[in-house]
Amino acid sequence: MARFHTLVLMILVILLPSATGSDMVPSNGGPEEVKMKSYDEVKNESELYNLIVEKDYVNALKRVQLVPYEAKILIDVLGGSKTQEVVKTALPLHFAFEVDIPDNLPAAKRGDLMGQDQSDLILALIKVNPLATAQTDKFGRLPLHLALISPNPPPAKVISKMLKLYPKSAKTQGLQDLTPLHMAVSYPMTTFENVEAILEAYPKAIEVQDEDDSLPIHSAAWGGNFPDAKKVIELLLNENPAHLSRVDGDGETIMTLMALYGRTSEEAVRFILEQDKKAVYRHVDEREGGTALHLAVSASFEQHNTVYKPFLEMHKDLLKNINRIGQLPLHVLLQRCCAEPDMVFDLLAGYPQAVSSRDGHGLLPLHHACHVGVGDVEIIKTLIEKSPESIKTEVKMTDGGKGPLPLHLALAHGAHHGAAFEKMNQVIEILLDAYPESAKIWDPDSALLPLHAAFLSKRSATVLKHLMSLTPDDISTKVYIQEGGESKTTTLLHLFAAHSHAHMEPKDINQIIDAFAAHEPNMFREKDSDGRLPLHMVWMQLETKEESRRALVDALLAKYPNAVHVADTHNMPPLAYITRARDLYSFEQALEINPFAAAVKSDEGMYPLHHLCSSAATGALSESVDKILTALLEQHPAAATEADDHGSLPLHSFCKTAGSSHTGPHTIQKLIDAYPEALNITDTNGMIPLQLAGISATDCDNDNAHNYWADLVEVLIDAFPSAVSTVHKGDLVLAATLSKMETLSVHRRTEEDHLLRIVKRMYNVYPDAIQNRTTKGRTGLHSLLVLVGDMGAMTPTGWSDLTLQIMRDFPELLKVKDGHERTPLHLFCLYLGDTAIGLRDNQDPRTRLTVIPGIEDTLLTLIKANPEAMDETDEYGYTPLNLASHSRLRYSKGGKRFYRSKLVNMMKSYLRKGSDYWKMKVAIEGASTCTELRDALGKVNLQVTSKLDELEVEPSNLEGEYECDSESTSMCETCPEEQELFGKVERALAVYADFMEERDKDVSEISGEYL
């Protein structure tokens, strides 16, 4: 039976067509003869791929030997995060190198050399498919590129084998125009032997610049986080000693890059300093004018290494140099949290007087350390020990006045939790022990006493109790704070309830509450300037540990139970604050004491239900929201039917939080069931709930992407489908929603199951909505093309498929011009062009890296469906080709990105062929029968022959045999008699297209206003 299975597999290997195609076999055995063609795309993962990603290299090798054709299958793998899904298209050889490549390559550490099993597998993959060494993945990376960033460096024989099979790989530039040599010397996976192999294959690589005009030696100085850093840099300098003083695109030399980034080894720095002894004095940073040591201490701090030491050893006098703002290296080191103690002690040992030196801003080193924080409190102790008076020394202000003490700066430190917070609490304790009197001194910057500042900055219970014991008379002192742009008075107990308790343990909370009660029992009844009790303040801070909040609520209610009945000056009882915070525990407590609070309106006509719906958006508390909403409807169902003073029903308010609301569909349905008529009631702006939901999404970051918006929209449509056809200020819901989506980040638009879900649902319910024109004159198709153009190479297939479907359903929209006289083709070229070179704000680099089928299909459909658009000009006189070649693309991000962008070149290539070419192509492709094809070919033959005569094309350019391409194969097979004429016409069209492209290369790039 086993032999039978083997036989079947052998037959399959013989019968299945090679994934590369027979025409990809190198002539005369020379891999350099390989012509890059696309492999057949296979969407399903192969068994070989699965074994590779599981790191089962032994069985993967057996699989290659048993089923060698799997080594030739191109794999599409959907990867990335939930909000950044991308399709990685590559061969098994690529994936064999790509396993566990770290996200942050420069900061990574090199692992052990690649294991024997993995290297044997890679060599086997190369043996059965040598052409794989010349195949790039979706991002333009060869296997050689991936080998050089693999966490476990491959042995030199693997690199040498790939270079031998495909020598051009040593010259091939990948992402950001990096050559293999750039990559080999930049990252910690480097081995000296591999660098030598690449240089031997392509010696001129040392002179090639990347996208940022950096030579490989600059990359080595920038990265250099590998054991052989000195040997590699020495090797590169030996090849061209003049590179020692050569600057990169940012004006940095080898030495300044080493100092600035601090990733290289001490030995490498010493080597460069020995080669150029004046280099440390030559560089002056334009912003702060520091020496190389100023740069090196900052970089060493960031990288947690000792790159600064060679500078100290060889140029100790640099310790006394100040930069343009009067800072010594010690100031520079301490002005960033959190310096390594050994670094601080080394700088102090080399120049002890630095401890008592003020910088240009009047700060001592201790001031800096207290202001930004330290990783080890021994630094604070040492600074005080070496300069005891510094703890009593104020910052010297530029106007000559006195600034804050070290204690004031430590209390103003921004960390409110985590390790830095705990360290600062320890620092404050050290400062108080060393100088207790400072607890009574007002901070001239904030006009606060240290006790007040401690409560505002949420200091630890230990610090609060320490300060309360040192200054008991200050406990009852009123505090003046800024809230909402207004100056207000409050008490320390209010501050504690609002902020300070957030991360405390329950026992500490109880101790501090008891301390307040012992000092002044009536503080629990005292109101601030807004009429709020301390109990009201509990829900002002949403990022509070649940157990901390519960402990505080219990403690405050124990001291003053009737607080739940007291409303503030806006007639808001604690229950209104509780519903805003979605605090189920406190809600149940308050409702039990005061069940009538659900029927109490605030001054803005808002019941607690309104407050819940207007703020139920934030956070992942859908279960709490559901239970609170259910209880409020039970207590006072009429609240669902009453609008607040702004004309909003609870359902309106809920829909305004659409973009971030984490509320389950069942909860939304309860609100609808309580008052179904609300679905068709407008607010004061004339908008029904679905219209509000469509325009109310907010942006989100990569880690905060959810389906809130889609869930809400779908429930609303299910309950009231006709809402999709309603109009507000001339816009249908779909048009308004698409306009809103244009303002959201690229990350959010890649959520196929979210935003696309909404658009599809609205389109399916009311397809004609796509024809609605917005105030900008755009149809839904225009808006979709803006979205797809923005997403570029990250466009999920769902978005491009929907766009193509709409173009098929409504072909007349392809000719509609927007308010700037732009057809859909104009708009797509404009937005895709900006994306192609990285002009978008906060743009993910992957949006511009490659051409994906969805983008190409969209462009071709736009061109073929309306070739005339290629000749039409917009309001500014630009054609689509002008927009794709506009000088903004060349100069905004540098010429290299423009000229080497695959997206830009794809657009220009298709557009330069001209409208006549595409009209002729469409005429042929539109033929559905042999008779129609014969007629079309005859007409096109006359047209293209006439045009070639005008161009004076040599007849020899039209000679040669014709083979049907993949697009024409079915027509050739169906109409064999027309095949010869088909071939002649296709060759003529190809020659014509080439001439048009060459002719337009130098005339299409323009400049001027374009928005």
Side-chain angles (χ1 to χ4, degrees):
M1 193 67 176
R3 285 195 299 271
F4 173 77
H5 286 157
T6 303
L7 177 61
V8 170
L9 286 171
M10 291 175 65
I11 294 172
L12 285 172
V13 172
I14 295 170
L15 294 179
L16 281 171
S18 167
T20 60
S22 59
D23 58 341
M24 289 195 67
V25 178
S27 61
N28 300 322
E32 290 191 85
E33 300 297 324
V34 174
K35 292 184 178 180
M36 299 307 298
K37 288 192 176 182
S38 298
Y39 287 75
D40 294 331
E41 291 191 3
V42 179
K43 293 183 179 179
N44 295 324
E45 301 171 11
S46 67
E47 179 63 24
L48 175 60
Y49 166 79
N50 290 328
L51 291 169
I52 288 173
V53 295
E54 291 169 6
K55 302 182 187 179
D56 187 352
Y57 302 127
V58 173
N59 285 318
L61 177 59
K62 293 178 181 177
R63 183 73 179 178
V64 172
Q65 295 166 342
L66 184 63
V67 194
Y69 81 88
E70 284 194 5
K72 302 178 181 181
I73 294 178
L74 197 64
I75 307 293
D76 283 346
V77 181
L78 188 65
S81 68
K82 185 176 180 180
T83 60
Q84 298 181 25
E85 292 183 341
V86 293
V87 177
K88 291 194 292 186
T89 305
L91 290 165
L93 180 60
H94 293 87
F95 289 108
F97 286 116
E98 200 175 0
V99 175
D100 292 340
I101 288 179
D103 292 333
N104 187 359
L105 282 169
K109 301 295 181 184
R110 188 173 86 179
D112 297 330
L113 290 177
M114 183 177 288
Q116 187 67 42
D117 293 338
Q118 188 178 0
S119 61
D120 287 347
L121 168 65
I122 287 169
L123 290 171
L125 289 168
I126 293 171
K127 182 177 180 181
V128 300
N129 187 18
L131 299 179
T133 58
Q135 175 70 45
T136 58
D137 67 5
K138 177 182 175 178
F139 301 118
R141 300 175 301 186
L142 292 167
L144 178 62
H145 292 121
L146 293 169
L148 296 170
I149 59 175
S150 178
N152 302 104
K157 64 180 179 181
V158 171
I159 301 295
S160 299
K161 185 71 173 177
M162 290 191 289
L163 288 168
K164 182 178 179 181
L165 284 170
Y166 188 47
K168 287 183 180 179
S169 61
K171 305 178 182 180
T172 304
Q173 292 173 272
L175 302 182
Q176 299 173 316
D177 292 336
L178 295 173
T179 65
L181 185 59
H182 281 98
M183 300 178 78
V185 300
S186 296
Y187 302 128
M189 297 75 180
T190 303
T191 65
F192 183 72
E193 292 74 19
N194 288 342
V195 173
E196 279 190 313
I198 294 169
L199 266 178
E200 184 178 343
Y202 183 40
K204 292 182 180 179
I206 62 164
E207 304 295 343
V208 178
Q209 294 176 302
D210 66 10
E211 182 179 89
D212 298 317
D213 294 328
S214 294
L215 295 166
I217 196 161
H218 292 121
S219 297
W222 167 83
N225 183 17
F226 48 89
D228 300 323
K230 176 184 176 292
K231 288 175 64 178
V232 167
I233 289 174
E234 189 174 1
L235 172 66
L236 296 176
L237 270 183
N238 286 340
E239 294 292 325
N240 190 342
H243 286 175
L244 183 64
S245 56
R246 180 83 172 266
V247 296
D248 65 8
D250 294 323
E252 303 291 351
T253 63
I254 303 169
M255 190 278 297
T256 59
L257 285 167
M258 287 178 165
L260 190 59
Y261 293 99
R263 299 190 185 103
T264 193
S265 66
E266 289 185 46
E267 293 74 16
V269 174
R270 286 192 185 91
F271 172 73
I272 293 299
L273 290 177
E274 288 168 356
Q275 302 304 306
D276 190 356
K277 294 182 171 55
K278 296 181 180 180
V280 291
Y281 303 99
R282 187 179 300 122
H283 176 74
V284 176
D285 184 88
E286 291 182 357
R287 291 165 301 167
E288 297 179 357
T291 67
L293 182 58
H294 287 89
L295 299 178
V297 294
S298 293
S300 294
F301 148 74
E302 286 186 354
Q303 301 298 331
H304 303 289
N305 65 19
T306 56
V307 167
Y308 70 98
K309 286 194 172 183
F311 294 96
L312 285 183
E313 296 167 5
M314 302 176 70
H315 299 278
K316 194 173 181 179
D317 58 311
L318 293 178
L319 284 166
K320 301 177 183 179
N321 283 44
I322 60 172
N323 60 16
R324 194 167 293 156
I325 55 176
Q327 292 180 325
L328 296 166
L330 182 62
H331 292 111
V332 170
L333 176 59
L334 288 173
Q335 72 178 0
R336 301 171 72 178
C337 181
C338 301
E340 296 288 341
D342 288 345
M343 292 179 63
V344 176
F345 301 153
D346 283 346
L347 297 185
L348 279 172
Y351 185 42
Q353 293 88 337
V355 74
S356 55
S357 298
R358 292 183 187 270
D359 65 11
H361 297 301
L363 280 78
L364 297 170
L366 180 62
H367 291 130
H368 281 296
C370 291
H371 182 57
V372 302
V374 293
D376 191 325
V377 295
E378 290 301 316
I379 293 174
I380 299 293
K381 292 179 180 179
T382 301
L383 293 172
I384 295 174
E385 178 186 335
K386 293 188 176 295
S387 179
E389 287 302 309
S390 62
I391 196 171
K392 301 178 182 180
T393 305
E394 302 95 345
V395 174
K396 186 177 181 179
M397 308 303 289
T398 53
D399 61 2
K402 292 183 178 180
L405 290 166
L407 176 63
H408 298 134
L409 294 170
L411 286 167
H413 187 270
H416 301 309
H417 53 83
F421 174 71
E422 294 303 325
K423 291 292 182 188
M424 286 312 301
N425 287 326
Q426 294 175 35
V427 168
I428 293 167
E429 287 291 298
I430 291 170
L431 296 173
L432 286 172
D433 288 339
Y435 186 31
E437 288 301 309
S438 61
K440 301 175 182 178
I441 301 174
W442 290 81
D443 180 355
D445 274 358
S446 65
L448 293 171
L449 285 166
L451 180 61
H452 298 162
F455 275 92
L456 276 170
S457 58
K458 309 175 191 177
R459 291 297 143 203
S460 69
T462 304
V463 169
L464 295 181
K465 287 185 282 187
H466 193 165
L467 282 166
M468 290 172 84
S469 68
L470 289 172
T471 57
D473 293 340
D474 294 337
I475 294 175
S476 56
T477 306
K478 288 287 193 295
V479 184
Y480 294 88
I481 61 171
Q482 289 292 319
E483 185 179 301
E486 298 180 14
S487 181
K488 299 183 178 182
T489 60
T490 188
T491 70
L492 287 181
L493 182 55
H494 283 82
L495 291 179
F496 181 69
H499 305 290
S500 308
H501 74 284
H503 299 281
M504 283 189 186
E505 296 299 321
K507 62 173 183 155
D508 293 323
I509 291 173
N510 287 321
Q511 288 175 4
I512 292 176
I513 290 294
D514 288 342
F516 277 116
H519 181 77
E520 179 54 69
N522 287 326
M523 289 185 77
F524 298 92
R525 292 174 169 80
E526 193 169 348
K527 294 182 178 181
D528 66 8
S529 54
D530 282 324
R532 298 174 298 196
L533 295 171
L535 184 65
H536 288 97
M537 309 303 294
V538 174
W539 299 280
M540 301 294 287
Q541 169 63 264
L542 298 181
E543 297 178 2
T544 302
K545 289 195 305 183
E546 187 175 351
E547 60 178 2
S548 301
R549 180 183 288 163
R550 288 186 179 187
L552 182 59
V553 169
D554 292 342
L556 291 173
L557 286 176
K559 301 298 181 186
Y560 185 35
N562 286 334
V564 295
H565 298 282
V566 180
D568 64 12
T569 53
H570 300 291
N571 203 33
M572 287 178 60
L575 190 68
Y577 286 85
I578 292 168
T579 54
R580 281 182 175 273
R582 292 103 46 214
D583 180 357
L584 180 60
Y585 174 81
S586 300
F587 175 82
E588 292 172 343
Q589 296 280 92
L591 204 62
E592 184 178 349
I593 299 173
N594 184 12
F596 302 105
V600 176
K601 275 188 178 182
S602 65
D603 284 354
E604 295 181 337
M606 297 176 70
Y607 288 110
L609 181 62
H610 290 88
H611 288 294
L612 174 72
C613 293
S614 63
S615 62
T618 312
L621 300 169
S622 59
E623 186 177 347
S624 297
V625 172
D626 184 73
K627 290 182 178 179
I628 293 172
L629 183 140
T630 302
L632 289 173
L633 288 173
E634 289 175 354
Q635 290 292 327
H636 190 58
T641 68
E642 294 190 36
D644 62 19
D645 291 351
H646 303 290
S648 294
L649 294 165
L651 184 59
H652 290 123
S653 299
F654 217 119
C655 292
K656 291 176 184 178
T657 67
S660 56
S661 176
H662 191 179
T663 305
H666 60 287
T667 305
I668 302 167
Q669 191 63 51
K670 286 180 181 179
L671 192 58
I672 293 172
D673 293 342
Y675 189 42
E677 292 85 352
L679 290 163
N680 200 27
I681 294 177
T682 58
D683 65 1
T684 51
N685 293 316
M687 302 182 75
I688 63 173
L690 182 62
Q691 291 168 337
L692 289 168
I695 65 167
S696 298
T698 56
D699 217 338
C700 63
D701 57 37
N702 301 351
D703 300 320
N704 186 32
H706 304 284
N707 292 328
Y708 315 142
W709 194 11
D711 288 341
L712 175 60
V713 169
E714 289 196 336
V715 170
L716 293 170
I717 292 176
D718 287 341
F720 186 38
S722 299
V724 180
S725 60
T726 57
V727 178
H728 177 256
K729 294 184 178 179
D731 286 348
L732 288 166
V733 177
L734 177 58
T737 303
L738 284 169
S739 295
K740 178 63 181 182
M741 288 181 181
E742 287 183 31
T743 68
L744 303 182
S745 73
V746 171
H747 295 308
R748 186 149 206 172
R749 278 182 252 129
T750 55
E751 300 167 52
E752 262 195 272
D753 58 340
H754 187 175
L755 303 191
L756 183 61
R757 216 171 101 198
I758 293 172
V759 177
K760 277 186 174 180
R761 185 63 189 279
M762 289 184 176
Y763 180 69
N764 290 335
V765 171
Y766 188 46
D768 285 343
I770 206 72
Q771 301 183 81
N772 177 233
R773 300 185 71 170
T774 67
T775 52
K776 293 181 179 179
R778 293 179 180 176
T779 67
L781 178 60
H782 285 104
S783 297
L784 275 173
L785 290 167
V786 169
L787 294 175
V788 174
D790 257 359
M791 289 184 280
M794 288 180 65
T795 304
T797 54
W799 281 107
S800 53
D801 287 349
L802 177 62
T803 305
L804 292 168
Q805 177 189 339
I806 290 171
M807 287 193 277
R808 290 191 298 269
D809 294 345
F810 294 93
E812 63 274 17
L813 295 183
L814 291 160
K815 299 182 179 181
V816 176
K817 295 184 177 182
D818 68 6
H820 291 293
E821 294 296 309
R822 289 178 178 140
T823 67
L825 178 61
H826 285 83
L827 209 58
F828 186 63
C829 292
L830 173 64
Y831 278 82
L832 186 60
D834 286 349
T835 300
I837 63 160
L839 276 179
R840 301 285 171 215
D841 290 338
N842 302 317
Q843 180 179 342
D844 189 303
R846 290 175 296 173
T847 57
R848 64 179 177 85
L849 293 180
T850 190
V851 177
I852 60 173
I855 290 290
E856 191 168 15
D857 291 346
T858 300
L859 180 61
L860 283 172
T861 302
L862 287 166
I863 291 173
K864 291 180 179 180
N866 185 24
E868 292 83 358
M870 300 174 68
D871 301 321
E872 296 184 37
T873 58
D874 65 8
E875 177 184 347
Y876 303 99
Y878 297 159
T879 66
L881 179 57
N882 295 152
L883 292 169
S885 307
H886 196 279
S887 61
R888 76 189 189 284
L889 301 177
R890 177 180 177 186
Y891 297 113
S892 296
K893 291 288 183 179
K896 285 188 177 181
R897 279 197 185 176
F898 174 67
Y899 290 120
R900 296 182 181 177
S901 167
K902 294 181 180 179
L903 282 170
V904 169
N905 288 329
M906 180 267 293
M907 282 195 295
K908 292 193 295 185
S909 174
Y910 286 139
L911 294 170
R912 282 173 176 158
K913 296 182 193 306
S915 59
D916 288 338
Y917 167 81
W918 289 109
K919 288 175 185 176
M920 291 185 282
K921 284 287 288 185
V922 169
I924 296 172
E925 293 174 0
S928 57
T929 66
C930 293
T931 301
E932 291 179 0
L933 176 63
R934 188 181 307 113
D935 292 342
L937 288 171
K939 292 178 182 177
V940 171
N941 186 38
L942 292 175
Q943 291 174 339
V944 72
T945 301
S946 173
K947 292 185 178 296
L948 289 174
D949 286 342
E950 293 175 11
L951 295 171
E952 299 181 353
V953 176
E954 292 292 331
S956 60
N957 290 331
L958 300 174
E959 295 176 359
E961 295 182 1
Y962 171 74
E963 292 183 9
C964 286
D965 58 29
S966 58
E967 293 182 1
S968 310
T969 299
S970 60
M971 191 62 78
C972 289
E973 292 174 349
T974 307
C975 308
E977 294 180 5
E978 284 72 29
Q979 184 172 347
E980 184 177 348
L981 180 57
F982 202 157
K984 177 182 177 182
V985 172
E986 286 285 287
R987 284 195 303 275
L989 283 172
V991 171
Y992 175 70
D994 288 343
F995 267 78
M996 293 298 291
E997 282 195 65
E998 287 299 319
R999 188 193 70 174
D1000 283 348
K1001 273 187 178 179
D1002 299 323
V1003 298
S1004 61
E1005 186 179 316
I1006 60 173
S1007 60
E1009 187 180 10
Y1010 69 98
L1011 288 178

